Amino acid sequence: MGGLTMDQAFVQAPEHRPKPIVTEATGIPLIDLSPLAASGGAVDALAAEVGAASRDWGFFVVVGHGVPAETVARATEAQRAFFALPAERKAAVRRNEAEPLGYYESEHTKNVRDWKEVYDLVPREPPPPAAVADGELVFDNKWPQDLPGFREALEEYAKAMEELAFKLLELIARSLKLRPDRLHGFFKDQTTFIRLNHYPPCPSPDLALGVGRHKDAGALTILYQDDVGGLDVRRRSDGEWVRVRPVPDSFIINVGDLIQVRAHLMN
């Protein structure tokens, strides 16, 4: 991980450290989105299912989502190739205060450093401004050089994720008795970003976390897990952290705070 070594910055408070045994989450809604290809009552029933999962759980797992397996496979391979690069090549596309996209290996959650590397990009780069004022952020993707197929794979994946996100927004809108495109207007401008996460082996897995406890502030998070897994969620009934088992060819959907706020304002 670029010469990173374990130190106190990574150490979680005792109450937040990983437990040696993690219970597997049960009852998480698994929703098949294939009825979207139909019409009428099938889609209404699907919207009700998504609405119930959003209210009762705040997240759910989707299959039958229509994202080609080849698209996911190419993005996964591109991610692995990037994080396998030498540290100096990853540092060449490192983000900074003025340019928040690219590679980063020193992120903190709840003031504790995460044991991970990330690479951030946007699916659609904004048009270049006539002039960039001092202190203005520049949202240009930083593409690594000499990594064949990386950009194409990630652009393809990003487009597929945006398409899936809007399908889910339409289902959520239907569940709120709104017209399907009612939420689209809130996302006319660039609001999406893609994050590649890499969690290398940790020398002290009893002390550190890949990413600390948090809530997602945005509208929707679409998460792809490989077969290693590792996502823990806090069970509402008893406050315990439970492990979400990876489901082949699926995505985990986390309904963020923004959707909750908008739903309350509209009802």
PDB file of all heavy atoms in Angstrom, residues 112-133:
ATOM      1  N   VAL A 112     -10.336   9.209  12.474  1.00  0.00           N
ATOM      2  CA  VAL A 112      -9.424   8.061  12.514  1.00  0.00           C
ATOM      3  C   VAL A 112      -9.103   7.686  11.071  1.00  0.00           C
ATOM      4  O   VAL A 112      -9.995   7.614  10.218  1.00  0.00           O
ATOM      5  CB  VAL A 112     -10.041   6.862  13.258  1.00  0.00           C
ATOM      6  CG1 VAL A 112      -9.050   5.695  13.304  1.00  0.00           C
ATOM      7  CG2 VAL A 112     -10.459   7.256  14.669  1.00  0.00           C
ATOM      8  N   ARG A 113      -7.830   7.427  10.819  1.00  0.00           N
ATOM      9  CA  ARG A 113      -7.420   7.130   9.446  1.00  0.00           C
ATOM     10  C   ARG A 113      -7.926   5.766   9.004  1.00  0.00           C
ATOM     11  O   ARG A 113      -7.866   4.795   9.760  1.00  0.00           O
ATOM     12  CB  ARG A 113      -5.898   7.188   9.336  1.00  0.00           C
ATOM     13  CG  ARG A 113      -5.399   7.151   7.906  1.00  0.00           C
ATOM     14  CD  ARG A 113      -3.920   7.463   7.841  1.00  0.00           C
ATOM     15  NE  ARG A 113      -3.405   7.278   6.490  1.00  0.00           N
ATOM     16  CZ  ARG A 113      -2.135   7.441   6.143  1.00  0.00           C
ATOM     17  NH1 ARG A 113      -1.256   7.794   7.067  1.00  0.00           N
ATOM     18  NH2 ARG A 113      -1.751   7.253   4.902  1.00  0.00           N
ATOM     19  N   ASP A 114      -8.445   5.703   7.786  1.00  0.00           N
ATOM     20  CA  ASP A 114      -8.953   4.447   7.215  1.00  0.00           C
ATOM     21  C   ASP A 114      -7.817   3.652   6.585  1.00  0.00           C
ATOM     22  O   ASP A 114      -6.929   4.226   5.932  1.00  0.00           O
ATOM     23  CB  ASP A 114      -9.997   4.734   6.125  1.00  0.00           C
ATOM     24  CG  ASP A 114     -11.221   5.461   6.656  1.00  0.00           C
ATOM     25  OD1 ASP A 114     -11.577   5.219   7.814  1.00  0.00           O
ATOM     26  OD2 ASP A 114     -11.804   6.260   5.900  1.00  0.00           O
ATOM     27  N   TRP A 115      -7.863   2.332   6.760  1.00  0.00           N
ATOM     28  CA  TRP A 115      -6.869   1.466   6.141  1.00  0.00           C
ATOM     29  C   TRP A 115      -7.337   1.125   4.728  1.00  0.00           C
ATOM     30  O   TRP A 115      -7.866   0.056   4.439  1.00  0.00           O
ATOM     31  CB  TRP A 115      -6.663   0.193   6.971  1.00  0.00           C
ATOM     32  CG  TRP A 115      -5.502  -0.614   6.486  1.00  0.00           C
ATOM     33  CD1 TRP A 115      -5.528  -1.647   5.590  1.00  0.00           C
ATOM     34  CD2 TRP A 115      -4.131  -0.443   6.836  1.00  0.00           C
ATOM     35  NE1 TRP A 115      -4.266  -2.126   5.366  1.00  0.00           N
ATOM     36  CE2 TRP A 115      -3.373  -1.405   6.126  1.00  0.00           C
ATOM     37  CE3 TRP A 115      -3.454   0.438   7.700  1.00  0.00           C
ATOM     38  CZ2 TRP A 115      -1.997  -1.511   6.238  1.00  0.00           C
ATOM     39  CZ3 TRP A 115      -2.083   0.326   7.811  1.00  0.00           C
ATOM     40  CH2 TRP A 115      -1.371  -0.642   7.090  1.00  0.00           C
ATOM     41  N   LYS A 116      -7.145   2.077   3.826  1.00  0.00           N
ATOM     42  CA  LYS A 116      -7.607   1.875   2.459  1.00  0.00           C
ATOM     43  C   LYS A 116      -6.928   2.860   1.524  1.00  0.00           C
ATOM     44  O   LYS A 116      -6.346   3.858   1.934  1.00  0.00           O
ATOM     45  CB  LYS A 116      -9.125   2.044   2.361  1.00  0.00           C
ATOM     46  CG  LYS A 116      -9.636   3.470   2.483  1.00  0.00           C
ATOM     47  CD  LYS A 116     -11.142   3.529   2.174  1.00  0.00           C
ATOM     48  CE  LYS A 116     -11.655   4.955   2.083  1.00  0.00           C
ATOM     49  NZ  LYS A 116     -11.761   5.623   3.382  1.00  0.00           N
ATOM     50  N   GLU A 117      -7.037   2.551   0.245  1.00  0.00           N
ATOM     51  CA  GLU A 117      -6.690   3.456  -0.836  1.00  0.00           C
ATOM     52  C   GLU A 117      -7.961   3.706  -1.640  1.00  0.00           C
ATOM     53  O   GLU A 117      -8.800   2.812  -1.762  1.00  0.00           O
ATOM     54  CB  GLU A 117      -5.642   2.839  -1.761  1.00  0.00           C
ATOM     55  CG  GLU A 117      -4.326   2.480  -1.116  1.00  0.00           C
ATOM     56  CD  GLU A 117      -3.444   1.735  -2.099  1.00  0.00           C
ATOM     57  OE1 GLU A 117      -3.674   0.519  -2.291  1.00  0.00           O
ATOM     58  OE2 GLU A 117      -2.546   2.363  -2.677  1.00  0.00           O
ATOM     59  N   VAL A 118      -8.078   4.885  -2.226  1.00  0.00           N
ATOM     60  CA  VAL A 118      -9.239   5.182  -3.057  1.00  0.00           C
ATOM     61  C   VAL A 118      -8.797   5.870  -4.345  1.00  0.00           C
ATOM     62  O   VAL A 118      -7.708   6.451  -4.433  1.00  0.00           O
ATOM     63  CB  VAL A 118     -10.274   6.083  -2.325  1.00  0.00           C
ATOM     64  CG1 VAL A 118     -10.722   5.436  -1.028  1.00  0.00           C
ATOM     65  CG2 VAL A 118      -9.721   7.478  -2.069  1.00  0.00           C
ATOM     66  N   TYR A 119      -9.675   5.783  -5.325  1.00  0.00           N
ATOM     67  CA  TYR A 119      -9.513   6.541  -6.562  1.00  0.00           C
ATOM     68  C   TYR A 119     -10.895   7.053  -6.938  1.00  0.00           C
ATOM     69  O   TYR A 119     -11.837   6.273  -7.096  1.00  0.00           O
ATOM     70  CB  TYR A 119      -8.943   5.662  -7.678  1.00  0.00           C
ATOM     71  CG  TYR A 119      -8.851   6.359  -9.017  1.00  0.00           C
ATOM     72  CD1 TYR A 119      -7.727   7.091  -9.374  1.00  0.00           C
ATOM     73  CD2 TYR A 119      -9.907   6.283  -9.935  1.00  0.00           C
ATOM     74  CE1 TYR A 119      -7.650   7.733 -10.604  1.00  0.00           C
ATOM     75  CE2 TYR A 119      -9.839   6.914 -11.158  1.00  0.00           C
ATOM     76  CZ  TYR A 119      -8.700   7.636 -11.499  1.00  0.00           C
ATOM     77  OH  TYR A 119      -8.639   8.278 -12.710  1.00  0.00           O
ATOM     78  N   ASP A 120     -11.036   8.375  -7.066  1.00  0.00           N
ATOM     79  CA  ASP A 120     -12.326   9.006  -7.342  1.00  0.00           C
ATOM     80  C   ASP A 120     -12.347   9.588  -8.757  1.00  0.00           C
ATOM     81  O   ASP A 120     -11.355  10.154  -9.236  1.00  0.00           O
ATOM     82  CB  ASP A 120     -12.598  10.146  -6.348  1.00  0.00           C
ATOM     83  CG  ASP A 120     -12.796   9.644  -4.925  1.00  0.00           C
ATOM     84  OD1 ASP A 120     -13.215   8.488  -4.758  1.00  0.00           O
ATOM     85  OD2 ASP A 120     -12.531  10.415  -3.981  1.00  0.00           O
ATOM     86  N   LEU A 121     -13.503   9.472  -9.400  1.00  0.00           N
ATOM     87  CA  LEU A 121     -13.712  10.076 -10.709  1.00  0.00           C
ATOM     88  C   LEU A 121     -15.175  10.463 -10.853  1.00  0.00           C
ATOM     89  O   LEU A 121     -16.017  10.038 -10.050  1.00  0.00           O
ATOM     90  CB  LEU A 121     -13.327   9.116 -11.827  1.00  0.00           C
ATOM     91  CG  LEU A 121     -14.209   7.872 -12.020  1.00  0.00           C
ATOM     92  CD1 LEU A 121     -14.303   7.523 -13.505  1.00  0.00           C
ATOM     93  CD2 LEU A 121     -13.649   6.678 -11.257  1.00  0.00           C
ATOM     94  N   VAL A 122     -15.473  11.270 -11.843  1.00  0.00           N
ATOM     95  CA  VAL A 122     -16.857  11.618 -12.164  1.00  0.00           C
ATOM     96  C   VAL A 122     -17.186  11.043 -13.539  1.00  0.00           C
ATOM     97  O   VAL A 122     -16.321  10.970 -14.416  1.00  0.00           O
ATOM     98  CB  VAL A 122     -17.098  13.144 -12.141  1.00  0.00           C
ATOM     99  CG1 VAL A 122     -16.990  13.671 -10.727  1.00  0.00           C
ATOM    100  CG2 VAL A 122     -16.121  13.882 -13.053  1.00  0.00           C
ATOM    101  N   PRO A 123     -18.454  10.628 -13.743  1.00  0.00           N
ATOM    102  CA  PRO A 123     -18.816  10.026 -15.036  1.00  0.00           C
ATOM    103  C   PRO A 123     -18.860  11.027 -16.177  1.00  0.00           C
ATOM    104  O   PRO A 123     -18.643  10.677 -17.322  1.00  0.00           O
ATOM    105  CB  PRO A 123     -20.191   9.414 -14.773  1.00  0.00           C
ATOM    106  CG  PRO A 123     -20.711  10.119 -13.580  1.00  0.00           C
ATOM    107  CD  PRO A 123     -19.540  10.550 -12.770  1.00  0.00           C
ATOM    108  N   ARG A 124     -19.153  12.280 -15.857  1.00  0.00           N
ATOM    109  CA  ARG A 124     -19.226  13.324 -16.892  1.00  0.00           C
ATOM    110  C   ARG A 124     -18.479  14.544 -16.381  1.00  0.00           C
ATOM    111  O   ARG A 124     -18.918  15.205 -15.452  1.00  0.00           O
ATOM    112  CB  ARG A 124     -20.680  13.678 -17.192  1.00  0.00           C
ATOM    113  CG  ARG A 124     -21.459  12.580 -17.907  1.00  0.00           C
ATOM    114  CD  ARG A 124     -22.935  12.891 -18.015  1.00  0.00           C
ATOM    115  NE  ARG A 124     -23.599  12.748 -16.724  1.00  0.00           N
ATOM    116  CZ  ARG A 124     -24.049  13.741 -15.994  1.00  0.00           C
ATOM    117  NH1 ARG A 124     -23.877  14.985 -16.390  1.00  0.00           N
ATOM    118  NH2 ARG A 124     -24.657  13.527 -14.842  1.00  0.00           N
ATOM    119  N   GLU A 125     -17.360  14.837 -17.006  1.00  0.00           N
ATOM    120  CA  GLU A 125     -16.582  15.985 -16.561  1.00  0.00           C
ATOM    121  C   GLU A 125     -17.304  17.268 -16.960  1.00  0.00           C
ATOM    122  O   GLU A 125     -17.850  17.375 -18.058  1.00  0.00           O
ATOM    123  CB  GLU A 125     -15.185  15.959 -17.177  1.00  0.00           C
ATOM    124  CG  GLU A 125     -14.360  14.759 -16.720  1.00  0.00           C
ATOM    125  CD  GLU A 125     -12.912  14.842 -17.180  1.00  0.00           C
ATOM    126  OE1 GLU A 125     -12.425  15.964 -17.375  1.00  0.00           O
ATOM    127  OE2 GLU A 125     -12.281  13.790 -17.337  1.00  0.00           O
ATOM    128  N   PRO A 126     -17.313  18.269 -16.068  1.00  0.00           N
ATOM    129  CA  PRO A 126     -17.978  19.534 -16.404  1.00  0.00           C
ATOM    130  C   PRO A 126     -17.215  20.253 -17.501  1.00  0.00           C
ATOM    131  O   PRO A 126     -16.005  20.048 -17.672  1.00  0.00           O
ATOM    132  CB  PRO A 126     -17.923  20.313 -15.075  1.00  0.00           C
ATOM    133  CG  PRO A 126     -16.740  19.737 -14.351  1.00  0.00           C
ATOM    134  CD  PRO A 126     -16.711  18.279 -14.738  1.00  0.00           C
ATOM    135  N   PRO A 127     -17.898  21.109 -18.274  1.00  0.00           N
ATOM    136  CA  PRO A 127     -17.181  21.863 -19.309  1.00  0.00           C
ATOM    137  C   PRO A 127     -16.145  22.775 -18.665  1.00  0.00           C
ATOM    138  O   PRO A 127     -16.356  23.283 -17.555  1.00  0.00           O
ATOM    139  CB  PRO A 127     -18.297  22.674 -19.993  1.00  0.00           C
ATOM    140  CG  PRO A 127     -19.394  22.731 -18.980  1.00  0.00           C
ATOM    141  CD  PRO A 127     -19.324  21.449 -18.213  1.00  0.00           C
ATOM    142  N   PRO A 128     -15.006  22.969 -19.318  1.00  0.00           N
ATOM    143  CA  PRO A 128     -13.974  23.815 -18.707  1.00  0.00           C
ATOM    144  C   PRO A 128     -14.448  25.254 -18.568  1.00  0.00           C
ATOM    145  O   PRO A 128     -15.020  25.819 -19.505  1.00  0.00           O
ATOM    146  CB  PRO A 128     -12.811  23.702 -19.697  1.00  0.00           C
ATOM    147  CG  PRO A 128     -13.438  23.293 -20.990  1.00  0.00           C
ATOM    148  CD  PRO A 128     -14.620  22.456 -20.629  1.00  0.00           C
ATOM    149  N   PRO A 129     -14.255  25.873 -17.399  1.00  0.00           N
ATOM    150  CA  PRO A 129     -14.658  27.275 -17.232  1.00  0.00           C
ATOM    151  C   PRO A 129     -13.740  28.182 -18.025  1.00  0.00           C
ATOM    152  O   PRO A 129     -12.608  27.827 -18.369  1.00  0.00           O
ATOM    153  CB  PRO A 129     -14.495  27.494 -15.717  1.00  0.00           C
ATOM    154  CG  PRO A 129     -13.441  26.514 -15.309  1.00  0.00           C
ATOM    155  CD  PRO A 129     -13.640  25.308 -16.197  1.00  0.00           C
ATOM    156  N   ALA A 130     -14.248  29.376 -18.332  1.00  0.00           N
ATOM    157  CA  ALA A 130     -13.431  30.350 -19.060  1.00  0.00           C
ATOM    158  C   ALA A 130     -12.176  30.688 -18.273  1.00  0.00           C
ATOM    159  O   ALA A 130     -11.099  30.891 -18.830  1.00  0.00           O
ATOM    160  CB  ALA A 130     -14.252  31.606 -19.343  1.00  0.00           C
ATOM    161  N   ALA A 131     -12.321  30.759 -16.973  1.00  0.00           N
ATOM    162  CA  ALA A 131     -11.175  31.021 -16.096  1.00  0.00           C
ATOM    163  C   ALA A 131     -11.501  30.444 -14.731  1.00  0.00           C
ATOM    164  O   ALA A 131     -12.649  30.503 -14.283  1.00  0.00           O
ATOM    165  CB  ALA A 131     -10.896  32.515 -15.998  1.00  0.00           C
ATOM    166  N   VAL A 132     -10.518  29.866 -14.095  1.00  0.00           N
ATOM    167  CA  VAL A 132     -10.706  29.295 -12.772  1.00  0.00           C
ATOM    168  C   VAL A 132     -10.237  30.306 -11.733  1.00  0.00           C
ATOM    169  O   VAL A 132      -9.079  30.714 -11.732  1.00  0.00           O
ATOM    170  CB  VAL A 132      -9.923  27.976 -12.615  1.00  0.00           C
ATOM    171  CG1 VAL A 132     -10.088  27.426 -11.204  1.00  0.00           C
ATOM    172  CG2 VAL A 132     -10.410  26.954 -13.641  1.00  0.00           C
ATOM    173  N   ALA A 133     -11.162  30.713 -10.865  1.00  0.00           N
ATOM    174  CA  ALA A 133     -10.817  31.693  -9.836  1.00  0.00           C
ATOM    175  C   ALA A 133      -9.973  31.039  -8.751  1.00  0.00           C
ATOM    176  O   ALA A 133     -10.020  29.826  -8.551  1.00  0.00           O
ATOM    177  CB  ALA A 133     -12.084  32.294  -9.236  1.00  0.00           C
TER     178      ALA A 133
END
